[in-house]
Amino acid sequence: TNACVVMSLRLLFLLPAGLPVRSQGESQSDNKQMDNITIRQGETLFLSCSQGDFVTHTAWLNRSSILYTGEDKWSVDPRVSLVTLNQDEFTIKIEDVDLADEGQYICAVQTSSRPRTTSVHIIVQVPPKIVNLSKDLVVNEGSNVTLMCLANGKPEPAIGWRMLSPSDDSLSSDSEVLEILFISRYRAGVYECTASNDIAVDTQTVELTVNYPPSVSDGRDVGVTLGQRGVLQCEADAVPEADFEWYRDDRRIFSDFDGIEIEDAGAFSKLTFFNVSEADYGNYTCIAINKLGSANTSIILYEIIEPTSSTLLQGYCRPELFCLTRANLFNALGPGAVQDGNSGTSTVFTPTCLLLVVLLQLLLKF
């Protein structure tokens, strides 16, 4: 390298062959080594050296390539330009520094007696950049999954993986590879790769979809009064989303059939009866299906009988109803709260008892 510099200086300054040019080992005062300069990619680099008295020629070189001689630009790089040239200072700049600009730079100054050089080594730091990342994946539950992430940068970046959404700190990796064995549906989500060094951080994400067969929530039986509107609901968890089918016994039911409407919305399906008839009561089956399997549940549509005056008079009762009959009233008030028709004796009614007797009489009129 020194031989190249000496040759460049001889050619540049047209030195006679007999004029000595000292190497760095011969004279520390004539050949100065500056501290390394560290700069980030994309920034502007300023290179400066002092001139001194009796300077006849001056130049900046990059690894044996001449950038500037005095005010004359030799470099064809448009990023290189002159900043200052006077008796005290010779400064150039390189804009938008890249990794290719890294290396040794030399400021050569020719005095009346001998050349003087100042050298400096430029270190270019590069922010991390992820250059190779696994694509979004769709896998079946139980499969093995490998996610890969590669990045460039200087210093060399550290790479890591984590489960971003839903967040799960237990699922992470401090290397370029994240392996998930026998993946379950609960590991589906967004995974983030991070590449970081002293300069910056780069992140990218991969979406992982896990397919699994349907599972259906237990159906809830529905009671509806004759002639009213009834709705049976079915919910299924599946990826991809399940398709629904409804059956009455072995007969499949379709929408707009006998006053029935079927409406599917994502994980839910509704079977609606707009005017329930006697023939509608019974057992219904909801089946959820996707490409990985199926599941089903049964739902009963049963009748609710509303109480009427005739059913009250007859003492008719369903298990879910309370029938207000004479016997129930007698039991509620106690044996001493009403008049005994056989003995002719009577018991004084409290205001509450009188109110109940009046209500009973009003009911018996209907």
PDB file of all heavy atoms in Angstrom, residues 299-329:
ATOM      1  N   ILE A 299     -81.019 -29.973  18.845  1.00  0.00           N
ATOM      2  CA  ILE A 299     -81.785 -28.924  19.515  1.00  0.00           C
ATOM      3  C   ILE A 299     -83.268 -29.294  19.428  1.00  0.00           C
ATOM      4  O   ILE A 299     -83.759 -29.639  18.347  1.00  0.00           O
ATOM      5  CB  ILE A 299     -81.543 -27.545  18.873  1.00  0.00           C
ATOM      6  CG1 ILE A 299     -80.046 -27.222  18.852  1.00  0.00           C
ATOM      7  CG2 ILE A 299     -82.317 -26.458  19.604  1.00  0.00           C
ATOM      8  CD1 ILE A 299     -79.703 -25.961  18.078  1.00  0.00           C
ATOM      9  N   ILE A 300     -83.977 -29.213  20.544  1.00  0.00           N
ATOM     10  CA  ILE A 300     -85.408 -29.540  20.579  1.00  0.00           C
ATOM     11  C   ILE A 300     -86.221 -28.252  20.575  1.00  0.00           C
ATOM     12  O   ILE A 300     -85.969 -27.341  21.369  1.00  0.00           O
ATOM     13  CB  ILE A 300     -85.746 -30.371  21.826  1.00  0.00           C
ATOM     14  CG1 ILE A 300     -85.023 -31.716  21.774  1.00  0.00           C
ATOM     15  CG2 ILE A 300     -87.257 -30.571  21.945  1.00  0.00           C
ATOM     16  CD1 ILE A 300     -85.218 -32.562  23.007  1.00  0.00           C
ATOM     17  N   LEU A 301     -87.192 -28.205  19.674  1.00  0.00           N
ATOM     18  CA  LEU A 301     -88.181 -27.128  19.658  1.00  0.00           C
ATOM     19  C   LEU A 301     -89.438 -27.691  20.317  1.00  0.00           C
ATOM     20  O   LEU A 301     -90.064 -28.605  19.778  1.00  0.00           O
ATOM     21  CB  LEU A 301     -88.459 -26.668  18.228  1.00  0.00           C
ATOM     22  CG  LEU A 301     -89.506 -25.564  18.071  1.00  0.00           C
ATOM     23  CD1 LEU A 301     -89.002 -24.250  18.667  1.00  0.00           C
ATOM     24  CD2 LEU A 301     -89.864 -25.362  16.591  1.00  0.00           C
ATOM     25  N   TYR A 302     -89.796 -27.160  21.497  1.00  0.00           N
ATOM     26  CA  TYR A 302     -90.956 -27.688  22.218  1.00  0.00           C
ATOM     27  C   TYR A 302     -91.994 -26.598  22.435  1.00  0.00           C
ATOM     28  O   TYR A 302     -91.719 -25.404  22.307  1.00  0.00           O
ATOM     29  CB  TYR A 302     -90.529 -28.308  23.556  1.00  0.00           C
ATOM     30  CG  TYR A 302     -89.909 -27.336  24.540  1.00  0.00           C
ATOM     31  CD1 TYR A 302     -90.702 -26.612  25.429  1.00  0.00           C
ATOM     32  CD2 TYR A 302     -88.522 -27.175  24.605  1.00  0.00           C
ATOM     33  CE1 TYR A 302     -90.150 -25.738  26.337  1.00  0.00           C
ATOM     34  CE2 TYR A 302     -87.965 -26.296  25.502  1.00  0.00           C
ATOM     35  CZ  TYR A 302     -88.779 -25.575  26.374  1.00  0.00           C
ATOM     36  OH  TYR A 302     -88.209 -24.709  27.273  1.00  0.00           O
ATOM     37  N   GLU A 303     -93.186 -27.034  22.800  1.00  0.00           N
ATOM     38  CA  GLU A 303     -94.335 -26.134  22.926  1.00  0.00           C
ATOM     39  C   GLU A 303     -94.426 -25.566  24.333  1.00  0.00           C
ATOM     40  O   GLU A 303     -94.230 -26.276  25.321  1.00  0.00           O
ATOM     41  CB  GLU A 303     -95.629 -26.857  22.579  1.00  0.00           C
ATOM     42  CG  GLU A 303     -96.868 -25.965  22.636  1.00  0.00           C
ATOM     43  CD  GLU A 303     -98.148 -26.727  22.319  1.00  0.00           C
ATOM     44  OE1 GLU A 303     -98.087 -27.955  22.151  1.00  0.00           O
ATOM     45  OE2 GLU A 303     -99.197 -26.074  22.246  1.00  0.00           O
ATOM     46  N   ILE A 304     -94.743 -24.279  24.395  1.00  0.00           N
ATOM     47  CA  ILE A 304     -95.092 -23.624  25.656  1.00  0.00           C
ATOM     48  C   ILE A 304     -96.570 -23.276  25.611  1.00  0.00           C
ATOM     49  O   ILE A 304     -97.036 -22.633  24.671  1.00  0.00           O
ATOM     50  CB  ILE A 304     -94.258 -22.345  25.883  1.00  0.00           C
ATOM     51  CG1 ILE A 304     -92.786 -22.698  26.115  1.00  0.00           C
ATOM     52  CG2 ILE A 304     -94.801 -21.544  27.053  1.00  0.00           C
ATOM     53  CD1 ILE A 304     -91.911 -21.489  26.355  1.00  0.00           C
ATOM     54  N   ILE A 305     -97.354 -23.731  26.619  1.00  0.00           N
ATOM     55  CA  ILE A 305     -98.790 -23.456  26.689  1.00  0.00           C
ATOM     56  C   ILE A 305     -99.013 -22.318  27.662  1.00  0.00           C
ATOM     57  O   ILE A 305     -98.669 -22.409  28.842  1.00  0.00           O
ATOM     58  CB  ILE A 305     -99.578 -24.704  27.128  1.00  0.00           C
ATOM     59  CG1 ILE A 305     -99.326 -25.842  26.122  1.00  0.00           C
ATOM     60  CG2 ILE A 305    -101.053 -24.394  27.267  1.00  0.00           C
ATOM     61  CD1 ILE A 305    -100.002 -27.122  26.509  1.00  0.00           C
ATOM     62  N   GLU A 306     -99.620 -21.225  27.190  1.00  0.00           N
ATOM     63  CA  GLU A 306     -99.887 -20.080  28.040  1.00  0.00           C
ATOM     64  C   GLU A 306    -101.125 -20.343  28.882  1.00  0.00           C
ATOM     65  O   GLU A 306    -102.111 -20.926  28.411  1.00  0.00           O
ATOM     66  CB  GLU A 306    -100.091 -18.819  27.191  1.00  0.00           C
ATOM     67  CG  GLU A 306     -98.839 -18.360  26.475  1.00  0.00           C
ATOM     68  CD  GLU A 306     -99.070 -17.073  25.705  1.00  0.00           C
ATOM     69  OE1 GLU A 306    -100.266 -16.737  25.510  1.00  0.00           O
ATOM     70  OE2 GLU A 306     -98.090 -16.435  25.313  1.00  0.00           O
ATOM     71  N   PRO A 307    -101.153 -19.907  30.159  1.00  0.00           N
ATOM     72  CA  PRO A 307    -102.338 -20.106  31.013  1.00  0.00           C
ATOM     73  C   PRO A 307    -103.514 -19.255  30.546  1.00  0.00           C
ATOM     74  O   PRO A 307    -103.343 -18.117  30.126  1.00  0.00           O
ATOM     75  CB  PRO A 307    -101.836 -19.672  32.392  1.00  0.00           C
ATOM     76  CG  PRO A 307    -100.712 -18.727  32.113  1.00  0.00           C
ATOM     77  CD  PRO A 307    -100.060 -19.217  30.849  1.00  0.00           C
ATOM     78  N   THR A 308    -104.733 -19.847  30.591  1.00  0.00           N
ATOM     79  CA  THR A 308    -105.969 -19.125  30.262  1.00  0.00           C
ATOM     80  C   THR A 308    -106.936 -19.291  31.417  1.00  0.00           C
ATOM     81  O   THR A 308    -106.712 -20.044  32.367  1.00  0.00           O
ATOM     82  CB  THR A 308    -106.601 -19.683  28.975  1.00  0.00           C
ATOM     83  OG1 THR A 308    -106.962 -21.054  29.209  1.00  0.00           O
ATOM     84  CG2 THR A 308    -105.625 -19.604  27.805  1.00  0.00           C
ATOM     85  N   SER A 309    -108.074 -18.599  31.349  1.00  0.00           N
ATOM     86  CA  SER A 309    -109.075 -18.692  32.423  1.00  0.00           C
ATOM     87  C   SER A 309    -109.631 -20.099  32.529  1.00  0.00           C
ATOM     88  O   SER A 309    -109.880 -20.605  33.625  1.00  0.00           O
ATOM     89  CB  SER A 309    -110.212 -17.689  32.160  1.00  0.00           C
ATOM     90  OG  SER A 309    -110.820 -17.944  30.900  1.00  0.00           O
ATOM     91  N   SER A 310    -109.785 -20.770  31.376  1.00  0.00           N
ATOM     92  CA  SER A 310    -110.336 -22.126  31.423  1.00  0.00           C
ATOM     93  C   SER A 310    -109.363 -23.086  32.077  1.00  0.00           C
ATOM     94  O   SER A 310    -109.766 -23.957  32.859  1.00  0.00           O
ATOM     95  CB  SER A 310    -110.675 -22.594  30.007  1.00  0.00           C
ATOM     96  OG  SER A 310    -109.508 -22.607  29.202  1.00  0.00           O
ATOM     97  N   THR A 311    -108.054 -22.906  31.789  1.00  0.00           N
ATOM     98  CA  THR A 311    -107.083 -23.804  32.419  1.00  0.00           C
ATOM     99  C   THR A 311    -106.987 -23.544  33.904  1.00  0.00           C
ATOM    100  O   THR A 311    -106.730 -24.452  34.691  1.00  0.00           O
ATOM    101  CB  THR A 311    -105.698 -23.634  31.769  1.00  0.00           C
ATOM    102  OG1 THR A 311    -105.282 -22.281  31.899  1.00  0.00           O
ATOM    103  CG2 THR A 311    -105.727 -24.009  30.301  1.00  0.00           C
ATOM    104  N   LEU A 312    -107.196 -22.274  34.324  1.00  0.00           N
ATOM    105  CA  LEU A 312    -107.186 -21.986  35.752  1.00  0.00           C
ATOM    106  C   LEU A 312    -108.373 -22.635  36.448  1.00  0.00           C
ATOM    107  O   LEU A 312    -108.271 -23.176  37.549  1.00  0.00           O
ATOM    108  CB  LEU A 312    -107.207 -20.474  35.977  1.00  0.00           C
ATOM    109  CG  LEU A 312    -105.894 -19.729  35.652  1.00  0.00           C
ATOM    110  CD1 LEU A 312    -106.100 -18.234  35.759  1.00  0.00           C
ATOM    111  CD2 LEU A 312    -104.791 -20.198  36.572  1.00  0.00           C
ATOM    112  N   LEU A 313    -109.589 -22.574  35.794  1.00  0.00           N
ATOM    113  CA  LEU A 313    -110.777 -23.161  36.396  1.00  0.00           C
ATOM    114  C   LEU A 313    -110.665 -24.669  36.505  1.00  0.00           C
ATOM    115  O   LEU A 313    -111.149 -25.292  37.453  1.00  0.00           O
ATOM    116  CB  LEU A 313    -112.016 -22.803  35.568  1.00  0.00           C
ATOM    117  CG  LEU A 313    -112.464 -21.329  35.678  1.00  0.00           C
ATOM    118  CD1 LEU A 313    -113.558 -21.024  34.675  1.00  0.00           C
ATOM    119  CD2 LEU A 313    -112.957 -21.044  37.099  1.00  0.00           C
ATOM    120  N   GLN A 314    -109.992 -25.252  35.496  1.00  0.00           N
ATOM    121  CA  GLN A 314    -109.863 -26.704  35.486  1.00  0.00           C
ATOM    122  C   GLN A 314    -108.688 -27.192  36.341  1.00  0.00           C
ATOM    123  O   GLN A 314    -108.507 -28.388  36.529  1.00  0.00           O
ATOM    124  CB  GLN A 314    -109.665 -27.215  34.054  1.00  0.00           C
ATOM    125  CG  GLN A 314    -110.856 -26.923  33.145  1.00  0.00           C
ATOM    126  CD  GLN A 314    -110.538 -27.178  31.689  1.00  0.00           C
ATOM    127  OE1 GLN A 314    -109.455 -27.650  31.386  1.00  0.00           O
ATOM    128  NE2 GLN A 314    -111.484 -26.867  30.811  1.00  0.00           N
ATOM    129  N   GLY A 315    -107.887 -26.243  36.851  1.00  0.00           N
ATOM    130  CA  GLY A 315    -106.718 -26.639  37.646  1.00  0.00           C
ATOM    131  C   GLY A 315    -105.639 -27.278  36.795  1.00  0.00           C
ATOM    132  O   GLY A 315    -104.853 -28.077  37.290  1.00  0.00           O
ATOM    133  N   TYR A 316    -105.616 -26.911  35.481  1.00  0.00           N
ATOM    134  CA  TYR A 316    -104.634 -27.505  34.580  1.00  0.00           C
ATOM    135  C   TYR A 316    -103.260 -26.919  34.859  1.00  0.00           C
ATOM    136  O   TYR A 316    -103.127 -25.706  35.013  1.00  0.00           O
ATOM    137  CB  TYR A 316    -105.050 -27.242  33.136  1.00  0.00           C
ATOM    138  CG  TYR A 316    -104.050 -27.761  32.130  1.00  0.00           C
ATOM    139  CD1 TYR A 316    -103.990 -29.112  31.834  1.00  0.00           C
ATOM    140  CD2 TYR A 316    -103.191 -26.876  31.499  1.00  0.00           C
ATOM    141  CE1 TYR A 316    -103.084 -29.577  30.919  1.00  0.00           C
ATOM    142  CE2 TYR A 316    -102.277 -27.342  30.580  1.00  0.00           C
ATOM    143  CZ  TYR A 316    -102.235 -28.691  30.291  1.00  0.00           C
ATOM    144  OH  TYR A 316    -101.327 -29.151  29.372  1.00  0.00           O
ATOM    145  N   CYS A 317    -102.285 -27.753  34.927  1.00  0.00           N
ATOM    146  CA  CYS A 317    -100.918 -27.292  35.235  1.00  0.00           C
ATOM    147  C   CYS A 317     -99.901 -27.980  34.358  1.00  0.00           C
ATOM    148  O   CYS A 317    -100.010 -29.177  34.115  1.00  0.00           O
ATOM    149  CB  CYS A 317    -100.563 -27.590  36.687  1.00  0.00           C
ATOM    150  SG  CYS A 317    -100.622 -26.130  37.724  1.00  0.00           S
ATOM    151  N   ARG A 318     -98.919 -27.177  33.897  1.00  0.00           N
ATOM    152  CA  ARG A 318     -97.682 -27.725  33.360  1.00  0.00           C
ATOM    153  C   ARG A 318     -96.613 -27.592  34.437  1.00  0.00           C
ATOM    154  O   ARG A 318     -96.724 -26.744  35.317  1.00  0.00           O
ATOM    155  CB  ARG A 318     -97.245 -26.942  32.113  1.00  0.00           C
ATOM    156  CG  ARG A 318     -98.127 -27.126  30.888  1.00  0.00           C
ATOM    157  CD  ARG A 318     -97.956 -28.512  30.289  1.00  0.00           C
ATOM    158  NE  ARG A 318     -96.581 -28.683  29.822  1.00  0.00           N
ATOM    159  CZ  ARG A 318     -96.180 -28.336  28.596  1.00  0.00           C
ATOM    160  NH1 ARG A 318     -97.029 -27.840  27.730  1.00  0.00           N
ATOM    161  NH2 ARG A 318     -94.922 -28.524  28.252  1.00  0.00           N
ATOM    162  N   PRO A 319     -95.554 -28.377  34.405  1.00  0.00           N
ATOM    163  CA  PRO A 319     -94.536 -28.299  35.475  1.00  0.00           C
ATOM    164  C   PRO A 319     -93.963 -26.909  35.651  1.00  0.00           C
ATOM    165  O   PRO A 319     -93.573 -26.541  36.753  1.00  0.00           O
ATOM    166  CB  PRO A 319     -93.467 -29.284  34.993  1.00  0.00           C
ATOM    167  CG  PRO A 319     -94.190 -30.236  34.102  1.00  0.00           C
ATOM    168  CD  PRO A 319     -95.277 -29.456  33.446  1.00  0.00           C
ATOM    169  N   GLU A 320     -93.914 -26.138  34.550  1.00  0.00           N
ATOM    170  CA  GLU A 320     -93.297 -24.835  34.665  1.00  0.00           C
ATOM    171  C   GLU A 320     -94.274 -23.739  35.065  1.00  0.00           C
ATOM    172  O   GLU A 320     -93.896 -22.569  35.160  1.00  0.00           O
ATOM    173  CB  GLU A 320     -92.620 -24.464  33.327  1.00  0.00           C
ATOM    174  CG  GLU A 320     -93.547 -24.309  32.149  1.00  0.00           C
ATOM    175  CD  GLU A 320     -93.775 -25.640  31.404  1.00  0.00           C
ATOM    176  OE1 GLU A 320     -93.509 -26.687  32.010  1.00  0.00           O
ATOM    177  OE2 GLU A 320     -94.188 -25.596  30.238  1.00  0.00           O
ATOM    178  N   LEU A 321     -95.593 -24.081  35.246  1.00  0.00           N
ATOM    179  CA  LEU A 321     -96.603 -23.072  35.568  1.00  0.00           C
ATOM    180  C   LEU A 321     -97.091 -23.243  36.996  1.00  0.00           C
ATOM    181  O   LEU A 321     -97.080 -24.338  37.548  1.00  0.00           O
ATOM    182  CB  LEU A 321     -97.783 -23.169  34.597  1.00  0.00           C
ATOM    183  CG  LEU A 321     -97.464 -22.962  33.117  1.00  0.00           C
ATOM    184  CD1 LEU A 321     -98.728 -23.164  32.279  1.00  0.00           C
ATOM    185  CD2 LEU A 321     -96.920 -21.564  32.894  1.00  0.00           C
ATOM    186  N   PHE A 322     -97.622 -22.158  37.587  1.00  0.00           N
ATOM    187  CA  PHE A 322     -98.286 -22.215  38.891  1.00  0.00           C
ATOM    188  C   PHE A 322     -99.772 -21.992  38.664  1.00  0.00           C
ATOM    189  O   PHE A 322    -100.183 -20.964  38.107  1.00  0.00           O
ATOM    190  CB  PHE A 322     -97.730 -21.138  39.826  1.00  0.00           C
ATOM    191  CG  PHE A 322     -98.463 -21.061  41.150  1.00  0.00           C
ATOM    192  CD1 PHE A 322     -98.202 -21.993  42.137  1.00  0.00           C
ATOM    193  CD2 PHE A 322     -99.394 -20.065  41.386  1.00  0.00           C
ATOM    194  CE1 PHE A 322     -98.850 -21.922  43.339  1.00  0.00           C
ATOM    195  CE2 PHE A 322    -100.047 -20.010  42.581  1.00  0.00           C
ATOM    196  CZ  PHE A 322     -99.786 -20.923  43.573  1.00  0.00           C
ATOM    197  N   CYS A 323    -100.596 -22.934  39.071  1.00  0.00           N
ATOM    198  CA  CYS A 323    -102.036 -22.847  38.846  1.00  0.00           C
ATOM    199  C   CYS A 323    -102.722 -22.352  40.106  1.00  0.00           C
ATOM    200  O   CYS A 323    -102.590 -22.933  41.184  1.00  0.00           O
ATOM    201  CB  CYS A 323    -102.599 -24.218  38.459  1.00  0.00           C
ATOM    202  SG  CYS A 323    -101.902 -24.821  36.931  1.00  0.00           S
ATOM    203  N   LEU A 324    -103.494 -21.272  39.967  1.00  0.00           N
ATOM    204  CA  LEU A 324    -104.207 -20.695  41.102  1.00  0.00           C
ATOM    205  C   LEU A 324    -105.582 -21.345  41.207  1.00  0.00           C
ATOM    206  O   LEU A 324    -106.552 -20.928  40.576  1.00  0.00           O
ATOM    207  CB  LEU A 324    -104.331 -19.171  40.917  1.00  0.00           C
ATOM    208  CG  LEU A 324    -104.934 -18.381  42.083  1.00  0.00           C
ATOM    209  CD1 LEU A 324    -104.067 -18.588  43.324  1.00  0.00           C
ATOM    210  CD2 LEU A 324    -105.057 -16.919  41.737  1.00  0.00           C
ATOM    211  N   THR A 325    -105.669 -22.462  41.927  1.00  0.00           N
ATOM    212  CA  THR A 325    -106.935 -23.171  42.138  1.00  0.00           C
ATOM    213  C   THR A 325    -107.364 -22.997  43.582  1.00  0.00           C
ATOM    214  O   THR A 325    -106.650 -22.432  44.411  1.00  0.00           O
ATOM    215  CB  THR A 325    -106.752 -24.665  41.836  1.00  0.00           C
ATOM    216  OG1 THR A 325    -105.813 -25.192  42.764  1.00  0.00           O
ATOM    217  CG2 THR A 325    -106.239 -24.885  40.420  1.00  0.00           C
ATOM    218  N   ARG A 326    -108.599 -23.476  43.885  1.00  0.00           N
ATOM    219  CA  ARG A 326    -109.096 -23.385  45.268  1.00  0.00           C
ATOM    220  C   ARG A 326    -108.166 -24.139  46.216  1.00  0.00           C
ATOM    221  O   ARG A 326    -107.874 -23.699  47.331  1.00  0.00           O
ATOM    222  CB  ARG A 326    -110.516 -23.976  45.344  1.00  0.00           C
ATOM    223  CG  ARG A 326    -111.579 -23.121  44.644  1.00  0.00           C
ATOM    224  CD  ARG A 326    -112.944 -23.790  44.738  1.00  0.00           C
ATOM    225  NE  ARG A 326    -113.948 -23.033  44.005  1.00  0.00           N
ATOM    226  CZ  ARG A 326    -114.659 -22.035  44.530  1.00  0.00           C
ATOM    227  NH1 ARG A 326    -114.449 -21.667  45.781  1.00  0.00           N
ATOM    228  NH2 ARG A 326    -115.555 -21.402  43.815  1.00  0.00           N
ATOM    229  N   ALA A 327    -107.691 -25.300  45.764  1.00  0.00           N
ATOM    230  CA  ALA A 327    -106.807 -26.081  46.637  1.00  0.00           C
ATOM    231  C   ALA A 327    -105.505 -25.344  46.906  1.00  0.00           C
ATOM    232  O   ALA A 327    -105.017 -25.312  48.037  1.00  0.00           O
ATOM    233  CB  ALA A 327    -106.529 -27.433  45.987  1.00  0.00           C
ATOM    234  N   ASN A 328    -104.952 -24.730  45.840  1.00  0.00           N
ATOM    235  CA  ASN A 328    -103.712 -23.977  46.039  1.00  0.00           C
ATOM    236  C   ASN A 328    -103.931 -22.795  46.957  1.00  0.00           C
ATOM    237  O   ASN A 328    -103.068 -22.442  47.758  1.00  0.00           O
ATOM    238  CB  ASN A 328    -103.147 -23.487  44.701  1.00  0.00           C
ATOM    239  CG  ASN A 328    -102.535 -24.622  43.893  1.00  0.00           C
ATOM    240  OD1 ASN A 328    -102.119 -25.608  44.472  1.00  0.00           O
ATOM    241  ND2 ASN A 328    -102.506 -24.472  42.573  1.00  0.00           N
ATOM    242  N   LEU A 329    -105.081 -22.130  46.784  1.00  0.00           N
ATOM    243  CA  LEU A 329    -105.385 -20.995  47.650  1.00  0.00           C
ATOM    244  C   LEU A 329    -105.521 -21.437  49.096  1.00  0.00           C
ATOM    245  O   LEU A 329    -105.038 -20.795  50.022  1.00  0.00           O
ATOM    246  CB  LEU A 329    -106.665 -20.315  47.165  1.00  0.00           C
ATOM    247  CG  LEU A 329    -107.107 -19.082  47.980  1.00  0.00           C
ATOM    248  CD1 LEU A 329    -106.036 -17.999  47.880  1.00  0.00           C
ATOM    249  CD2 LEU A 329    -108.449 -18.567  47.489  1.00  0.00           C
TER     250      LEU A 329
END
